[in-house]
Amino acid sequence: MLTVDFSRFPLAPGDRVLDLGAGGGRHSFEVLRRGAHVVALDRNEKDVREVNTMFEAMSEAGEAPEGATAVAVTGDALDLPFPDDSFDRVIISEVLEHIPDDEGVLAEIFRVLKPGGLAAMTVPRYGPEKVCWALSDAYHEVEGGHIRIYRGHELVERVEAAGFEPYGDHFTHALHSPYWWIKCAVGVDNDKALPVRMYHKLLVWDIMKAPRATRWAEKALNPLIGKSFVVYAVKPRAASTEDAA
């Protein structure tokens, strides 16, 4: 399940892409399939090992185009182990809401992105997220959990303050909002509850089959209850890392 829309975030074979806070690697795998050179960075060593294992499996299965490369590494989003202007694209999906110094992370993304490069940044949307917080403290009051809820304009303003020029945004994953509301209502760790199990089956079916009915339904509902808010931005070609300091 991809949160970033690659029709709005174009990649070319050979592009160097950083997936920051890659987690299980869902965006990294798509980047590799598109023939780019991807670095998946995360602080969780277990996730990094599993993503590297998947990269190897994709290569052996012929899913990685010739010339494309992929590696997963551990690292700190506030102190990225890369030189200035290292990447053509940066993805950071569902990460900023976890980090107290989100401005510091945006500054690091700006630093490692090449002038003219693109960044895609996604966070939980304000409305659906507020419902989750109201229904369950356990949803967010956990170690490493969500520490803030962004209003759309707040994220755009922080992206602009970091030196980027936003060029688009949208909401996505509307069908996932009710799922999380149900989980928060019955207990976020209660995966055995019948409503949770039934809705989860619906989501898996939708992901695997992508039927027109649910695709149309989600497209119609995204502006209303889309679970994630996505912002796309470019680093100006005349920009330097000093400009964002």
Side-chain angles (χ1 to χ4, degrees), residues 97 124-127 129-130 133 147-151 154:
E97 69 275 11
R125 184 183 184 177
Y126 183 83
E129 187 77 347
K130 284 287 285 185
W133 283 44
I147 62 170
R148 71 173 64 83
I149 307 176
Y150 293 93
R151 292 186 182 275
E154 291 173 341

Side-chain angles (χ1 to χ4, degrees), residues 2 27 37 42 49 51 53 56 70 73 113 131 143 145 153 157 167 176 185 190 192 204 206 215 239 241:
L2 299 175
H27 287 104
H37 304 293
D42 202 276
R49 288 194 301 270
V51 170
T53 297
E56 293 173 4
V73 299
L113 190 62
V131 174
E143 183 178 356
H153 70 87
E157 288 167 1
Y167 66 86
H176 288 253
N190 185 7
K192 295 182 179 180
V204 171
D206 177 56
R215 294 302 86 221
T241 52

Side-chain angles (χ1 to χ4, degrees), residues 114-173:
K114 296 177 181 179
L118 305 181
M121 295 153 277
T122 92
V123 298
R125 184 183 184 177
Y126 183 83
E129 187 77 347
K130 284 287 285 185
V131 174
C132 289
W133 283 44
L135 290 171
S136 171
D137 290 337
Y139 171 78
H140 64 98
E141 291 182 357
V142 295
E143 183 178 356
H146 299 184
I147 62 170
R148 71 173 64 83
I149 307 176
Y150 293 93
R151 292 186 182 275
H153 70 87
E154 291 173 341
L155 179 59
V156 171
E157 288 167 1
R158 294 188 193 197
V159 169
E160 290 176 331
F164 294 98
E165 295 178 355
Y167 66 86
D169 60 64
H170 65 93
F171 303 110
T172 190
H173 303 325

